[in-house]
Amino acid sequence: MRARNRAFATLALLLAISRPAAAADRGTAALTAARDIWGIIQQLRGDHEAQDGPRPGQAPAAHPQPMPPAGPSDLTIDLSDLSRPAAIESRFAPLNRLAESQIRVTVPNGQARLGNYSVGSDQTVRGHLLVVRGDADIYGRVQGNLVALDGNVTVHPGAVIAGDVLVVHGVARVVDGGVVDGEIRTLSAAVPAAAAGAPVSALALTVRRLAGLAGVAMTLAFLGLGLATFGHHNLEIVSDTVSHSFGRAFVTGLLGQVLLLPTFGMVVVGLVLSVAGILLLPFAVVAYVLLAVIAIVGGYLAVAHAMGETYVRRRMARGVTMGAPSSYRFLTTGLVATLALWAAWALFGWVPVAGDLIRGAAILVTWLLGTAGFGAALLSRAGLRENFAGRIIPPEALTDEYLWATPQFGVPAVRRPGGARSPIGGP
């Protein structure tokens, strides 16, 4: 019915144009009439499309919510330069505290839309476009920059954006056939403090640290078990080197740590200078790293073995029943001793000052023991040399009787092994 009425209006307008007019006003009248006729045709076309529905391949008609005009105290955002997205994001910060009905934004040389917004395939948006709290689906043309706040941007096939695209707290997607002449930038949403994780309680933190310490202890225990089974002799020599030459072992380990990287560099350079060395370079690098790790871990286990052996033998010398001494027992006892400070940190690390002190002490002691073990492994050539292992002492001096405490209050001590003996039949 509305289309019929508009058709009659068109005919009336044509009749009015056909009347004679002054020669001076004919050009102006014709131009005005042509514009009016074109506007009526566009209205008729729009009514026809509304009745028939969207054409295939064209997005459904969108119903955006145009923002009310901004007042003097409302937000004005210039979208002509999107090269500094962080600064533009900070300009949007006041909008986070407002409801949708309170949002007032002015875009110079552009427009702002609230909610989901779609540009049809036959539509052209002149100037910049801002979409707040909604997705922007572009099927037509945008002759400016496009910014989406708290939403996504999708550039469909056949769409053209003549400027840049900035998506704040969303993602941008350009389907095959879509064109963006400028750059595409995205800024992810900041993770709130609650999403980052609530503060861990002292009990949960303690349980987590104890679980980590138990995992480290089990790993070292399995490595020590394998070393005591397949390298028992080498383990004992390195352990004895730590016991009898601790000072030399620590200094050697300290120098070894300093020269570890320079030596590696010299090895690499030496291999690179030869044709055959280049082929062997990957194997040499892997072998060097493995040897360094074995020396450090094996030296630390040797220190634990030495500590456990000293403790067990002293207890046995005092008459305490400890069972049959073995390298497995020595390693277990030594690992418990070396990890005692870490256990204390796991239990009391949540204490503000004491926790940091215990952790620092644990790190220092672990470094000292590891350095000494590394030096002992270097001195003894991984247990192949016995020069620094104290093996020049008679075997009788390493028995439990030798470690027996000297009696007090005038009770004579037993003659130590290796002492001078009176000849048979002497006085």
Side-chain angles (χ1 to χ4, degrees):
M1 193 69 179
R2 294 176 56 189
R4 184 179 301 174
N5 294 335
R6 290 180 179 177
F8 286 131
T10 303
L11 294 176
L13 184 59
L14 292 175
L15 292 175
I17 296 173
S18 62
R19 294 179 180 178
D25 298 336
R26 286 182 180 178
T28 305
L31 182 59
T32 304
R35 290 179 179 176
D36 294 339
I37 293 172
W38 179 253
I40 293 172
I41 292 174
Q42 290 295 102
Q43 292 179 1
L44 292 175
R45 181 184 176 187
D47 292 340
H48 178 71
E49 290 180 354
Q51 294 173 3
D52 297 342
R55 295 191 302 271
Q58 182 179 1
H63 300 281
Q65 304 178 21
M67 291 187 183
S73 60
D74 293 328
L75 187 61
T76 300
I77 299 179
D78 185 9
L79 302 182
S80 60
D81 184 11
L82 304 183
S83 60
R84 295 183 299 173
I88 297 177
E89 181 187 18
S90 63
R91 292 281 294 156
F92 289 128
L95 301 180
N96 298 330
R97 301 185 298 269
L98 299 179
E100 292 185 356
S101 59
Q102 300 175 340
I103 295 178
R104 304 288 189 274
V105 179
T106 299
V107 178
N109 300 324
Q111 56 180 305
R113 299 290 176 174
L114 181 62
N116 296 333
Y117 183 70
S118 177
V119 178
S121 59
D122 59 344
Q123 295 178 350
T124 299
V125 177
R126 302 184 184 278
H128 309 305
L129 177 61
L130 171 63
V131 180
V132 179
R133 296 184 183 178
D135 297 336
D137 290 294
I138 310 301
Y139 294 88
R141 184 177 181 87
V142 177
Q143 295 180 342
N145 297 331
L146 172 61
V147 177
L149 174 64
D150 296 331
N152 304 323
V153 172
T154 303
V155 183
H156 295 273
V160 177
I161 299 178
D164 299 335
V165 175
L166 173 61
V167 183
V168 181
H169 306 167
V171 295
R173 187 169 67 97
V174 180
V175 186
D176 292 340
V179 177
V180 177
D181 294 338
E183 297 183 0
I184 300 177
R185 301 179 179 90
T186 58
L187 287 178
S188 301
V191 180
V200 183
S201 62
L203 179 60
L205 187 61
T206 301
V207 172
R208 184 183 303 176
R209 289 173 176 174
L210 287 176
L213 181 63
V216 173
M218 291 181 61
T219 303
L220 292 176
F222 280 116
L223 292 176
L225 176 64
L227 187 58
T229 302
F230 300 101
H232 180 264
H233 180 70
N234 304 78
L235 176 62
E236 283 191 339
I237 293 178
V238 179
S239 176
D240 293 340
T241 302
V242 173
S243 300
H244 298 91
S245 304
F246 184 85
R248 291 183 178 181
F250 177 78
V251 173
T252 304
L254 192 61
L255 294 176
Q257 292 177 5
V258 174
L259 299 176
L260 194 62
L261 290 179
T263 304
F264 177 75
M266 293 175 60
V267 171
V268 172
V269 172
L271 291 175
V272 169
L273 294 178
S274 60
V275 178
I278 295 178
L279 300 177
L280 298 176
L281 182 61
F283 305 98
V285 170
V286 174
Y288 186 88
V289 173
L290 287 178
L291 289 176
V293 172
I294 291 174
I296 294 173
V297 177
Y300 185 83
L301 293 175
V303 172
H305 184 279
M307 295 175 61
E309 183 178 8
T310 302
Y311 175 78
V312 170
R313 291 194 179 278
R314 288 186 181 278
R315 296 279 291 176
M316 293 179 63
R318 293 188 177 94
V320 179
T321 304
M322 299 291 295
S326 62
S327 294
Y328 306 112
R329 179 182 295 274
F330 299 155
L331 278 171
T332 304
T333 306
L335 285 176
V336 171
T338 56
L339 298 178
L341 279 176
W342 288 108
W345 172 73
L347 292 173
F348 304 103
W350 53 272
V351 181
V353 178
D356 295 336
L357 293 177
I358 296 175
R359 182 182 181 182
I363 294 175
L364 179 61
V365 171
T366 302
W367 175 76
L368 290 175
L369 298 180
T371 302
F374 181 53
L378 295 178
L379 284 177
S380 62
R381 306 296 190 273
L384 299 179
R385 293 182 57 184
E386 302 180 6
N387 301 46
F388 303 94
R391 296 306 174 93
I392 57 176
I393 302 177
E396 295 84 359
L398 299 177
T399 58
D400 297 337
E401 290 78 7
Y402 178 77
L403 299 175
W404 194 279
T406 302
Q408 303 294 327
F409 305 108
V411 180
V414 179
R415 184 186 301 275
R416 295 185 177 183
R421 294 179 179 271
S422 300
I424 299 175

